[in-house]
Short mmCIF file of all heavy atoms in Angstrom, two decimals:
data_model
loop_
_atom_site.label_atom_id
_atom_site.label_comp_id
_atom_site.label_asym_id
_atom_site.label_seq_id
_atom_site.Cartn_x
_atom_site.Cartn_y
_atom_site.Cartn_z
N MET A 1 2.15 -37.90 -33.23
CA MET A 1 1.24 -39.05 -33.14
C MET A 1 -0.09 -38.64 -33.78
O MET A 1 -0.65 -37.60 -33.48
CB MET A 1 1.05 -39.43 -31.68
CG MET A 1 0.03 -40.49 -31.47
SD MET A 1 -0.29 -41.06 -29.76
CE MET A 1 0.75 -40.17 -28.70
N ASP A 2 -0.60 -39.51 -34.68
CA ASP A 2 -1.89 -39.20 -35.29
C ASP A 2 -3.03 -39.73 -34.42
O ASP A 2 -2.81 -40.38 -33.40
CB ASP A 2 -1.95 -39.74 -36.72
CG ASP A 2 -1.92 -41.26 -36.83
OD1 ASP A 2 -2.19 -41.94 -35.82
OD2 ASP A 2 -1.66 -41.77 -37.93
N LYS A 3 -4.25 -39.45 -34.84
CA LYS A 3 -5.43 -39.84 -34.06
C LYS A 3 -5.55 -41.34 -33.88
O LYS A 3 -5.92 -41.82 -32.81
CB LYS A 3 -6.71 -39.29 -34.70
CG LYS A 3 -6.88 -37.82 -34.52
CD LYS A 3 -8.21 -37.37 -35.09
CE LYS A 3 -8.38 -35.89 -34.92
NZ LYS A 3 -9.69 -35.43 -35.37
N GLN A 4 -5.25 -42.10 -34.92
CA GLN A 4 -5.35 -43.56 -34.83
C GLN A 4 -4.37 -44.11 -33.81
O GLN A 4 -4.72 -44.95 -32.99
CB GLN A 4 -5.13 -44.21 -36.19
CG GLN A 4 -5.30 -45.72 -36.14
CD GLN A 4 -5.18 -46.38 -37.49
OE1 GLN A 4 -5.19 -45.72 -38.52
NE2 GLN A 4 -5.07 -47.68 -37.51
N GLU A 5 -3.14 -43.63 -33.86
CA GLU A 5 -2.15 -44.09 -32.89
C GLU A 5 -2.57 -43.73 -31.47
O GLU A 5 -2.42 -44.53 -30.55
CB GLU A 5 -0.78 -43.48 -33.19
CG GLU A 5 -0.11 -44.04 -34.42
CD GLU A 5 1.18 -43.29 -34.74
OE1 GLU A 5 1.44 -42.22 -34.15
OE2 GLU A 5 1.93 -43.78 -35.60
N GLY A 6 -3.10 -42.54 -31.29
CA GLY A 6 -3.57 -42.11 -29.98
C GLY A 6 -4.72 -42.97 -29.48
O GLY A 6 -4.77 -43.33 -28.30
N ALA A 7 -5.62 -43.32 -30.38
CA ALA A 7 -6.76 -44.16 -30.01
C ALA A 7 -6.30 -45.56 -29.63
O ALA A 7 -6.80 -46.14 -28.66
CB ALA A 7 -7.77 -44.23 -31.16
N LEU A 8 -5.33 -46.11 -30.36
CA LEU A 8 -4.82 -47.44 -30.03
C LEU A 8 -4.12 -47.43 -28.68
O LEU A 8 -4.29 -48.36 -27.88
CB LEU A 8 -3.85 -47.92 -31.12
CG LEU A 8 -4.49 -48.29 -32.46
CD1 LEU A 8 -3.41 -48.58 -33.50
CD2 LEU A 8 -5.43 -49.46 -32.31
N ARG A 9 -3.35 -46.40 -28.40
CA ARG A 9 -2.67 -46.31 -27.10
C ARG A 9 -3.67 -46.15 -25.96
O ARG A 9 -3.53 -46.76 -24.90
CB ARG A 9 -1.67 -45.17 -27.11
CG ARG A 9 -0.46 -45.49 -27.95
CD ARG A 9 0.58 -44.44 -27.85
NE ARG A 9 1.68 -44.80 -28.75
CZ ARG A 9 2.73 -44.06 -28.92
NH1 ARG A 9 2.87 -42.93 -28.26
NH2 ARG A 9 3.67 -44.44 -29.75
N SER A 10 -4.69 -45.33 -26.20
CA SER A 10 -5.72 -45.13 -25.18
C SER A 10 -6.48 -46.42 -24.91
O SER A 10 -6.74 -46.79 -23.75
CB SER A 10 -6.68 -44.02 -25.64
OG SER A 10 -7.68 -43.81 -24.68
N PHE A 11 -6.83 -47.14 -25.97
CA PHE A 11 -7.51 -48.43 -25.82
C PHE A 11 -6.63 -49.39 -25.03
O PHE A 11 -7.10 -50.08 -24.12
CB PHE A 11 -7.85 -49.03 -27.19
CG PHE A 11 -8.56 -50.34 -27.10
CD1 PHE A 11 -9.93 -50.39 -27.02
CD2 PHE A 11 -7.85 -51.54 -27.06
CE1 PHE A 11 -10.60 -51.61 -26.91
CE2 PHE A 11 -8.50 -52.76 -26.95
CZ PHE A 11 -9.87 -52.79 -26.87
N GLY A 12 -5.35 -49.43 -25.37
CA GLY A 12 -4.42 -50.32 -24.68
C GLY A 12 -4.31 -50.01 -23.19
O GLY A 12 -4.29 -50.91 -22.35
N ARG A 13 -4.27 -48.72 -22.86
CA ARG A 13 -4.21 -48.32 -21.44
C ARG A 13 -5.48 -48.75 -20.71
O ARG A 13 -5.43 -49.23 -19.58
CB ARG A 13 -4.00 -46.82 -21.32
CG ARG A 13 -2.58 -46.38 -21.59
CD ARG A 13 -2.35 -44.93 -21.20
NE ARG A 13 -3.22 -44.00 -21.91
CZ ARG A 13 -2.93 -43.42 -23.06
NH1 ARG A 13 -1.78 -43.66 -23.65
NH2 ARG A 13 -3.76 -42.58 -23.62
N GLN A 14 -6.63 -48.58 -21.37
CA GLN A 14 -7.91 -48.96 -20.76
C GLN A 14 -7.96 -50.47 -20.55
O GLN A 14 -8.39 -50.95 -19.49
CB GLN A 14 -9.08 -48.49 -21.63
CG GLN A 14 -10.44 -48.82 -21.10
CD GLN A 14 -10.82 -48.02 -19.86
OE1 GLN A 14 -10.06 -47.20 -19.36
NE2 GLN A 14 -12.00 -48.27 -19.35
N LEU A 15 -7.54 -51.23 -21.53
CA LEU A 15 -7.51 -52.69 -21.43
C LEU A 15 -6.60 -53.12 -20.28
O LEU A 15 -6.99 -53.94 -19.45
CB LEU A 15 -7.03 -53.32 -22.74
CG LEU A 15 -6.87 -54.84 -22.74
CD1 LEU A 15 -8.21 -55.52 -22.49
CD2 LEU A 15 -6.26 -55.29 -24.06
N SER A 16 -5.43 -52.55 -20.23
CA SER A 16 -4.47 -52.89 -19.18
C SER A 16 -5.03 -52.56 -17.79
O SER A 16 -4.92 -53.35 -16.85
CB SER A 16 -3.16 -52.14 -19.41
OG SER A 16 -2.23 -52.45 -18.41
N ALA A 17 -5.64 -51.39 -17.66
CA ALA A 17 -6.20 -50.98 -16.37
C ALA A 17 -7.30 -51.92 -15.92
O ALA A 17 -7.34 -52.33 -14.75
CB ALA A 17 -6.72 -49.55 -16.46
N LEU A 18 -8.20 -52.28 -16.81
CA LEU A 18 -9.29 -53.20 -16.46
C LEU A 18 -8.75 -54.57 -16.09
O LEU A 18 -9.21 -55.20 -15.13
CB LEU A 18 -10.29 -53.31 -17.61
CG LEU A 18 -11.20 -52.11 -17.82
CD1 LEU A 18 -11.95 -52.24 -19.14
CD2 LEU A 18 -12.18 -51.98 -16.67
N ARG A 19 -7.78 -55.04 -16.84
CA ARG A 19 -7.17 -56.34 -16.56
C ARG A 19 -6.52 -56.34 -15.18
O ARG A 19 -6.72 -57.25 -14.38
CB ARG A 19 -6.14 -56.69 -17.65
CG ARG A 19 -5.43 -58.01 -17.41
CD ARG A 19 -4.37 -58.29 -18.47
NE ARG A 19 -3.34 -57.28 -18.58
CZ ARG A 19 -2.34 -57.12 -17.71
NH1 ARG A 19 -2.24 -57.89 -16.65
NH2 ARG A 19 -1.42 -56.18 -17.91
N GLU A 20 -5.76 -55.30 -14.90
CA GLU A 20 -5.06 -55.21 -13.62
C GLU A 20 -6.03 -55.03 -12.45
O GLU A 20 -5.80 -55.59 -11.37
CB GLU A 20 -4.04 -54.08 -13.66
CG GLU A 20 -2.86 -54.41 -14.57
CD GLU A 20 -1.89 -53.27 -14.75
OE1 GLU A 20 -2.11 -52.17 -14.18
OE2 GLU A 20 -0.89 -53.47 -15.46
N GLU A 21 -7.11 -54.26 -12.66
CA GLU A 21 -8.12 -54.10 -11.61
C GLU A 21 -8.70 -55.45 -11.19
O GLU A 21 -9.08 -55.64 -10.04
CB GLU A 21 -9.27 -53.20 -12.10
CG GLU A 21 -8.96 -51.74 -12.12
CD GLU A 21 -10.09 -50.92 -12.74
OE1 GLU A 21 -11.22 -51.45 -12.91
OE2 GLU A 21 -9.82 -49.76 -13.08
N GLN A 22 -8.79 -56.36 -12.14
CA GLN A 22 -9.35 -57.68 -11.86
C GLN A 22 -8.28 -58.68 -11.41
O GLN A 22 -8.58 -59.85 -11.16
CB GLN A 22 -10.07 -58.20 -13.10
CG GLN A 22 -11.29 -57.38 -13.45
CD GLN A 22 -12.10 -57.98 -14.56
OE1 GLN A 22 -12.04 -59.18 -14.83
NE2 GLN A 22 -12.90 -57.16 -15.23
N GLY A 23 -7.05 -58.21 -11.28
CA GLY A 23 -5.97 -59.09 -10.85
C GLY A 23 -5.67 -60.19 -11.85
O GLY A 23 -5.22 -61.27 -11.48
N MET A 24 -5.91 -59.91 -13.12
CA MET A 24 -5.75 -60.91 -14.17
C MET A 24 -4.40 -60.71 -14.88
O MET A 24 -4.03 -59.59 -15.21
CB MET A 24 -6.90 -60.76 -15.17
CG MET A 24 -7.05 -61.90 -16.13
SD MET A 24 -8.43 -61.67 -17.31
CE MET A 24 -9.84 -61.51 -16.23
N SER A 25 -3.71 -61.79 -15.12
CA SER A 25 -2.45 -61.72 -15.85
C SER A 25 -2.73 -61.64 -17.36
O SER A 25 -3.84 -61.94 -17.82
CB SER A 25 -1.59 -62.95 -15.57
OG SER A 25 -2.19 -64.10 -16.16
N ILE A 26 -1.72 -61.26 -18.09
CA ILE A 26 -1.83 -61.25 -19.55
C ILE A 26 -2.12 -62.65 -20.06
O ILE A 26 -2.97 -62.84 -20.94
CB ILE A 26 -0.55 -60.67 -20.19
CG1 ILE A 26 -0.50 -59.16 -19.94
CG2 ILE A 26 -0.47 -60.99 -21.67
CD1 ILE A 26 0.76 -58.48 -20.40
N THR A 27 -1.47 -63.64 -19.48
CA THR A 27 -1.68 -65.03 -19.90
C THR A 27 -3.12 -65.47 -19.65
O THR A 27 -3.72 -66.12 -20.50
CB THR A 27 -0.70 -65.96 -19.15
OG1 THR A 27 0.63 -65.52 -19.42
CG2 THR A 27 -0.87 -67.40 -19.60
N GLU A 28 -3.67 -65.09 -18.51
CA GLU A 28 -5.05 -65.47 -18.21
C GLU A 28 -6.04 -64.78 -19.15
O GLU A 28 -6.97 -65.40 -19.65
CB GLU A 28 -5.39 -65.12 -16.76
CG GLU A 28 -6.77 -65.58 -16.34
CD GLU A 28 -7.08 -65.30 -14.89
OE1 GLU A 28 -6.22 -64.79 -14.15
OE2 GLU A 28 -8.22 -65.61 -14.49
N LEU A 29 -5.83 -63.49 -19.42
CA LEU A 29 -6.70 -62.78 -20.35
C LEU A 29 -6.61 -63.40 -21.73
O LEU A 29 -7.62 -63.58 -22.42
CB LEU A 29 -6.36 -61.30 -20.39
CG LEU A 29 -7.19 -60.45 -21.36
CD1 LEU A 29 -8.70 -60.56 -21.06
CD2 LEU A 29 -6.73 -59.01 -21.33
N ALA A 30 -5.40 -63.76 -22.15
CA ALA A 30 -5.23 -64.39 -23.45
C ALA A 30 -6.00 -65.71 -23.51
O ALA A 30 -6.71 -65.98 -24.48
CB ALA A 30 -3.74 -64.62 -23.72
N SER A 31 -5.88 -66.50 -22.47
CA SER A 31 -6.58 -67.78 -22.43
C SER A 31 -8.09 -67.59 -22.48
O SER A 31 -8.79 -68.29 -23.22
CB SER A 31 -6.19 -68.54 -21.17
OG SER A 31 -6.90 -69.74 -21.06
N ARG A 32 -8.59 -66.65 -21.73
CA ARG A 32 -10.04 -66.41 -21.68
C ARG A 32 -10.59 -65.83 -22.99
O ARG A 32 -11.74 -66.05 -23.33
CB ARG A 32 -10.39 -65.47 -20.54
CG ARG A 32 -10.23 -66.08 -19.18
CD ARG A 32 -10.66 -65.10 -18.12
NE ARG A 32 -10.51 -65.66 -16.79
CZ ARG A 32 -11.10 -65.16 -15.72
NH1 ARG A 32 -11.86 -64.08 -15.82
NH2 ARG A 32 -10.91 -65.72 -14.55
N SER A 33 -9.77 -65.06 -23.68
CA SER A 33 -10.24 -64.38 -24.89
C SER A 33 -9.93 -65.15 -26.17
O SER A 33 -10.45 -64.82 -27.23
CB SER A 33 -9.63 -62.98 -24.99
OG SER A 33 -8.22 -63.07 -25.18
N GLY A 34 -9.04 -66.15 -26.07
CA GLY A 34 -8.64 -66.89 -27.26
C GLY A 34 -7.57 -66.19 -28.07
O GLY A 34 -7.27 -66.60 -29.19
N LEU A 35 -6.99 -65.14 -27.52
CA LEU A 35 -5.89 -64.44 -28.19
C LEU A 35 -4.56 -64.95 -27.63
O LEU A 35 -4.53 -65.62 -26.61
CB LEU A 35 -6.01 -62.93 -27.97
CG LEU A 35 -7.28 -62.28 -28.52
CD1 LEU A 35 -7.37 -60.83 -28.07
CD2 LEU A 35 -7.32 -62.38 -30.03
N GLN A 36 -3.49 -64.61 -28.28
CA GLN A 36 -2.16 -64.99 -27.83
C GLN A 36 -1.64 -63.95 -26.82
O GLN A 36 -1.93 -62.75 -26.96
CB GLN A 36 -1.19 -65.07 -29.01
CG GLN A 36 -1.55 -66.14 -30.01
CD GLN A 36 -1.47 -67.52 -29.38
OE1 GLN A 36 -0.53 -67.86 -28.68
NE2 GLN A 36 -2.51 -68.32 -29.63
N PRO A 37 -0.86 -64.37 -25.82
CA PRO A 37 -0.30 -63.40 -24.88
C PRO A 37 0.48 -62.27 -25.58
O PRO A 37 0.40 -61.11 -25.16
CB PRO A 37 0.63 -64.25 -24.00
CG PRO A 37 0.01 -65.61 -24.04
CD PRO A 37 -0.52 -65.75 -25.45
N ALA A 38 1.20 -62.60 -26.63
CA ALA A 38 1.95 -61.57 -27.37
C ALA A 38 1.00 -60.54 -27.98
O ALA A 38 1.34 -59.35 -28.06
CB ALA A 38 2.81 -62.20 -28.45
N ASP A 39 -0.18 -60.99 -28.42
CA ASP A 39 -1.16 -60.06 -28.97
C ASP A 39 -1.68 -59.12 -27.89
O ASP A 39 -1.83 -57.91 -28.13
CB ASP A 39 -2.34 -60.80 -29.61
CG ASP A 39 -1.96 -61.50 -30.90
OD1 ASP A 39 -1.03 -61.03 -31.58
OD2 ASP A 39 -2.59 -62.53 -31.22
N ILE A 40 -1.95 -59.66 -26.70
CA ILE A 40 -2.43 -58.82 -25.59
C ILE A 40 -1.38 -57.77 -25.26
O ILE A 40 -1.69 -56.58 -25.10
CB ILE A 40 -2.74 -59.67 -24.33
CG1 ILE A 40 -3.78 -60.76 -24.62
CG2 ILE A 40 -3.17 -58.78 -23.17
CD1 ILE A 40 -5.16 -60.28 -24.95
N THR A 41 -0.12 -58.20 -25.19
CA THR A 41 0.97 -57.27 -24.91
C THR A 41 1.03 -56.17 -25.96
O THR A 41 1.16 -54.98 -25.63
CB THR A 41 2.32 -58.02 -24.83
OG1 THR A 41 2.23 -59.00 -23.79
CG2 THR A 41 3.47 -57.08 -24.56
N SER A 42 0.92 -56.54 -27.23
CA SER A 42 0.96 -55.56 -28.32
C SER A 42 -0.24 -54.62 -28.31
O SER A 42 -0.11 -53.43 -28.60
CB SER A 42 1.03 -56.27 -29.68
OG SER A 42 2.24 -56.95 -29.80
N ILE A 43 -1.39 -55.15 -27.95
CA ILE A 43 -2.60 -54.31 -27.87
C ILE A 43 -2.45 -53.32 -26.72
O ILE A 43 -2.73 -52.12 -26.87
CB ILE A 43 -3.86 -55.18 -27.70
CG1 ILE A 43 -4.13 -55.98 -28.98
CG2 ILE A 43 -5.07 -54.31 -27.35
CD1 ILE A 43 -5.16 -57.11 -28.81
N GLU A 44 -2.03 -53.82 -25.56
CA GLU A 44 -1.89 -52.94 -24.39
C GLU A 44 -0.85 -51.85 -24.61
O GLU A 44 -0.99 -50.75 -24.06
CB GLU A 44 -1.57 -53.76 -23.14
CG GLU A 44 -2.75 -54.55 -22.63
CD GLU A 44 -2.50 -55.19 -21.29
OE1 GLU A 44 -1.38 -55.11 -20.75
OE2 GLU A 44 -3.47 -55.80 -20.76
N SER A 45 0.15 -52.11 -25.40
CA SER A 45 1.18 -51.09 -25.66
C SER A 45 0.79 -50.16 -26.81
O SER A 45 1.52 -49.22 -27.11
CB SER A 45 2.52 -51.76 -25.96
OG SER A 45 2.46 -52.47 -27.17
N GLY A 46 -0.35 -50.43 -27.45
CA GLY A 46 -0.82 -49.58 -28.54
C GLY A 46 -0.14 -49.85 -29.86
O GLY A 46 -0.27 -49.07 -30.80
N GLU A 47 0.58 -50.96 -29.96
CA GLU A 47 1.32 -51.28 -31.19
C GLU A 47 0.50 -52.08 -32.20
O GLU A 47 0.81 -52.07 -33.38
CB GLU A 47 2.56 -52.09 -30.83
CG GLU A 47 3.55 -51.33 -29.99
CD GLU A 47 4.67 -52.20 -29.47
OE1 GLU A 47 4.73 -53.40 -29.79
OE2 GLU A 47 5.51 -51.66 -28.70
N LYS A 48 -0.53 -52.78 -31.73
CA LYS A 48 -1.31 -53.65 -32.62
C LYS A 48 -2.68 -53.05 -32.89
O LYS A 48 -3.39 -52.68 -31.96
CB LYS A 48 -1.49 -55.03 -31.98
CG LYS A 48 -2.27 -56.02 -32.85
CD LYS A 48 -2.45 -57.35 -32.12
CE LYS A 48 -3.10 -58.43 -32.95
NZ LYS A 48 -4.33 -58.08 -33.61
N ASP A 49 -3.00 -52.92 -34.15
CA ASP A 49 -4.35 -52.51 -34.53
C ASP A 49 -5.29 -53.63 -34.14
O ASP A 49 -4.98 -54.81 -34.32
CB ASP A 49 -4.41 -52.24 -36.03
CG ASP A 49 -5.58 -51.37 -36.43
OD1 ASP A 49 -6.45 -51.12 -35.58
OD2 ASP A 49 -5.62 -50.95 -37.60
N ILE A 50 -6.42 -53.29 -33.61
CA ILE A 50 -7.34 -54.30 -33.09
C ILE A 50 -8.63 -54.31 -33.90
O ILE A 50 -9.12 -53.26 -34.32
CB ILE A 50 -7.60 -54.07 -31.59
CG1 ILE A 50 -8.44 -55.19 -31.00
CG2 ILE A 50 -8.17 -52.72 -31.32
CD1 ILE A 50 -8.43 -55.22 -29.50
N HIS A 51 -9.15 -55.49 -34.13
CA HIS A 51 -10.39 -55.66 -34.88
C HIS A 51 -11.57 -55.71 -33.93
O HIS A 51 -11.43 -56.07 -32.76
CB HIS A 51 -10.33 -56.96 -35.70
CG HIS A 51 -9.20 -56.97 -36.68
ND1 HIS A 51 -9.19 -56.22 -37.82
CD2 HIS A 51 -8.00 -57.62 -36.65
CE1 HIS A 51 -8.07 -56.41 -38.47
NE2 HIS A 51 -7.32 -57.25 -37.79
N ILE A 52 -12.72 -55.39 -34.42
CA ILE A 52 -13.94 -55.35 -33.60
C ILE A 52 -14.21 -56.70 -32.93
O ILE A 52 -14.63 -56.75 -31.77
CB ILE A 52 -15.15 -54.86 -34.42
CG1 ILE A 52 -16.35 -54.56 -33.53
CG2 ILE A 52 -15.55 -55.85 -35.50
CD1 ILE A 52 -16.21 -53.31 -32.73
N THR A 53 -13.95 -57.79 -33.62
CA THR A 53 -14.18 -59.10 -33.01
C THR A 53 -13.27 -59.32 -31.80
O THR A 53 -13.68 -59.92 -30.82
CB THR A 53 -13.97 -60.25 -34.03
OG1 THR A 53 -12.67 -60.13 -34.60
CG2 THR A 53 -15.03 -60.22 -35.12
N GLU A 54 -12.05 -58.80 -31.88
CA GLU A 54 -11.13 -58.92 -30.74
C GLU A 54 -11.61 -58.07 -29.57
O GLU A 54 -11.48 -58.47 -28.41
CB GLU A 54 -9.72 -58.51 -31.15
CG GLU A 54 -9.10 -59.48 -32.15
CD GLU A 54 -7.81 -58.97 -32.75
OE1 GLU A 54 -7.72 -57.75 -33.05
OE2 GLU A 54 -6.90 -59.78 -32.91
N ILE A 55 -12.18 -56.91 -29.86
CA ILE A 55 -12.72 -56.06 -28.80
C ILE A 55 -13.83 -56.80 -28.06
O ILE A 55 -13.86 -56.82 -26.82
CB ILE A 55 -13.25 -54.72 -29.37
CG1 ILE A 55 -12.07 -53.90 -29.90
CG2 ILE A 55 -14.03 -53.95 -28.31
CD1 ILE A 55 -12.48 -52.67 -30.69
N PHE A 56 -14.72 -57.43 -28.78
CA PHE A 56 -15.81 -58.17 -28.15
C PHE A 56 -15.29 -59.37 -27.36
O PHE A 56 -15.80 -59.66 -26.28
CB PHE A 56 -16.85 -58.61 -29.20
CG PHE A 56 -17.83 -57.53 -29.52
CD1 PHE A 56 -17.52 -56.54 -30.45
CD2 PHE A 56 -19.06 -57.48 -28.89
CE1 PHE A 56 -18.42 -55.52 -30.74
CE2 PHE A 56 -19.97 -56.47 -29.18
CZ PHE A 56 -19.65 -55.48 -30.10
N ARG A 57 -14.28 -60.05 -27.88
CA ARG A 57 -13.71 -61.20 -27.15
C ARG A 57 -13.02 -60.75 -25.87
O ARG A 57 -13.15 -61.39 -24.82
CB ARG A 57 -12.73 -61.94 -28.06
CG ARG A 57 -13.47 -62.70 -29.17
CD ARG A 57 -12.57 -63.14 -30.29
NE ARG A 57 -11.56 -64.11 -29.85
CZ ARG A 57 -10.65 -64.60 -30.66
NH1 ARG A 57 -10.59 -64.24 -31.92
NH2 ARG A 57 -9.77 -65.47 -30.20
N LEU A 58 -12.30 -59.65 -25.93
CA LEU A 58 -11.63 -59.13 -24.73
C LEU A 58 -12.65 -58.66 -23.70
O LEU A 58 -12.50 -58.92 -22.50
CB LEU A 58 -10.68 -57.99 -25.11
CG LEU A 58 -9.43 -58.42 -25.87
CD1 LEU A 58 -8.74 -57.22 -26.49
CD2 LEU A 58 -8.48 -59.17 -24.95
N ALA A 59 -13.68 -57.96 -24.16
CA ALA A 59 -14.72 -57.49 -23.24
C ALA A 59 -15.40 -58.66 -22.54
O ALA A 59 -15.62 -58.63 -21.33
CB ALA A 59 -15.74 -56.64 -24.00
N ALA A 60 -15.72 -59.70 -23.30
CA ALA A 60 -16.36 -60.88 -22.71
C ALA A 60 -15.44 -61.53 -21.69
O ALA A 60 -15.87 -61.94 -20.61
CB ALA A 60 -16.75 -61.87 -23.80
N ALA A 61 -14.15 -61.62 -22.00
CA ALA A 61 -13.19 -62.23 -21.10
C ALA A 61 -13.05 -61.44 -19.80
O ALA A 61 -12.81 -62.01 -18.74
CB ALA A 61 -11.83 -62.36 -21.79
N LEU A 62 -13.23 -60.13 -19.89
CA LEU A 62 -13.14 -59.27 -18.71
C LEU A 62 -14.48 -59.11 -18.00
O LEU A 62 -14.55 -58.55 -16.91
CB LEU A 62 -12.60 -57.88 -19.11
CG LEU A 62 -11.14 -57.83 -19.53
CD1 LEU A 62 -10.83 -56.52 -20.23
CD2 LEU A 62 -10.24 -58.03 -18.32
N GLY A 63 -15.56 -59.54 -18.66
CA GLY A 63 -16.90 -59.41 -18.08
C GLY A 63 -17.41 -57.99 -18.07
O GLY A 63 -18.13 -57.57 -17.16
N VAL A 64 -17.02 -57.22 -19.09
CA VAL A 64 -17.47 -55.83 -19.20
C VAL A 64 -18.08 -55.62 -20.59
O VAL A 64 -17.78 -56.37 -21.52
CB VAL A 64 -16.30 -54.84 -18.99
CG1 VAL A 64 -15.68 -54.98 -17.61
CG2 VAL A 64 -15.23 -54.97 -20.06
N PRO A 65 -18.91 -54.61 -20.73
CA PRO A 65 -19.43 -54.31 -22.08
C PRO A 65 -18.32 -53.73 -22.97
O PRO A 65 -17.41 -53.06 -22.45
CB PRO A 65 -20.53 -53.27 -21.83
CG PRO A 65 -20.23 -52.67 -20.50
CD PRO A 65 -19.47 -53.71 -19.73
N PRO A 66 -18.37 -53.99 -24.25
CA PRO A 66 -17.34 -53.44 -25.15
C PRO A 66 -17.21 -51.92 -25.02
O PRO A 66 -16.09 -51.40 -25.12
CB PRO A 66 -17.84 -53.83 -26.55
CG PRO A 66 -18.66 -55.04 -26.32
CD PRO A 66 -19.32 -54.83 -24.98
N SER A 67 -18.28 -51.24 -24.74
CA SER A 67 -18.22 -49.78 -24.61
C SER A 67 -17.29 -49.35 -23.48
O SER A 67 -16.71 -48.27 -23.54
CB SER A 67 -19.62 -49.21 -24.40
OG SER A 67 -20.20 -49.74 -23.21
N GLN A 68 -17.13 -50.18 -22.47
CA GLN A 68 -16.23 -49.82 -21.37
C GLN A 68 -14.77 -49.84 -21.83
O GLN A 68 -13.97 -49.04 -21.36
CB GLN A 68 -16.42 -50.76 -20.18
CG GLN A 68 -15.72 -50.27 -18.93
CD GLN A 68 -16.11 -51.03 -17.70
OE1 GLN A 68 -17.07 -51.82 -17.70
NE2 GLN A 68 -15.39 -50.82 -16.62
N LEU A 69 -14.45 -50.70 -22.75
CA LEU A 69 -13.09 -50.71 -23.31
C LEU A 69 -12.88 -49.52 -24.23
O LEU A 69 -11.77 -48.99 -24.33
CB LEU A 69 -12.84 -52.00 -24.10
CG LEU A 69 -12.59 -53.25 -23.29
CD1 LEU A 69 -12.56 -54.47 -24.20
CD2 LEU A 69 -11.30 -53.14 -22.51
N LEU A 70 -13.93 -49.10 -24.88
CA LEU A 70 -13.82 -48.00 -25.85
C LEU A 70 -14.01 -46.63 -25.23
O LEU A 70 -13.73 -45.63 -25.86
CB LEU A 70 -14.86 -48.19 -26.97
CG LEU A 70 -14.67 -49.46 -27.80
CD1 LEU A 70 -15.89 -49.69 -28.67
CD2 LEU A 70 -13.41 -49.36 -28.63
N GLY A 71 -14.46 -46.59 -24.00
CA GLY A 71 -14.80 -45.34 -23.34
C GLY A 71 -13.70 -44.30 -23.32
O GLY A 71 -13.96 -43.12 -23.42
N SER A 72 -12.48 -44.72 -23.19
CA SER A 72 -11.36 -43.79 -23.10
C SER A 72 -10.61 -43.63 -24.42
O SER A 72 -9.64 -42.92 -24.50
CB SER A 72 -10.37 -44.26 -22.02
OG SER A 72 -10.99 -44.25 -20.77
N ALA A 73 -11.07 -44.36 -25.44
CA ALA A 73 -10.35 -44.32 -26.73
C ALA A 73 -10.62 -43.05 -27.49
O ALA A 73 -11.48 -42.30 -27.24
CB ALA A 73 -10.74 -45.52 -27.57
#
């Protein structure tokens, strides 16, 4: 696994953990962020490369600063 793949997986784990801590479903996070549920699933599994705008949308939907999503990446 290269560094980029590791960073995507780490980001996905952090996103999933924050979502679950808030008791939020993938569908609810998708609705709040404007992303598709399939995209959330792919991001959380580390399969989808994520753009900075998506990071900000996800952070806003979770009510956390973007740095909190990136902290473990």
Side-chain angles (χ1 to χ4, degrees):
M1 174 179 0
D2 66 18
K3 286 184 180 184
Q4 182 176 348
E5 288 174 349
L8 289 173
R9 287 186 184 178
S10 180
F11 181 89
R13 283 191 301 270
Q14 180 70 359
L15 176 63
S16 180
L18 286 169
R19 178 183 58 75
E20 290 174 359
E21 283 174 15
Q22 294 187 23
M24 193 181 301
S25 69
I26 288 174
T27 302
E28 185 177 358
L29 179 57
S31 177
R32 289 183 181 197
S33 66
L35 299 172
Q36 296 297 314
D39 289 332
I40 302 294
T41 300
S42 294
I43 292 167
E44 287 189 356
S45 67
E47 296 171 3
K48 182 182 185 309
D49 200 351
I50 185 165
H51 300 287
I52 191 73
T53 55
E54 293 170 321
I55 293 171
F56 277 83
R57 289 165 63 182
L58 289 166
L62 290 165
V64 299
S67 61
Q68 192 169 349
L69 284 172
L70 297 168
S72 297

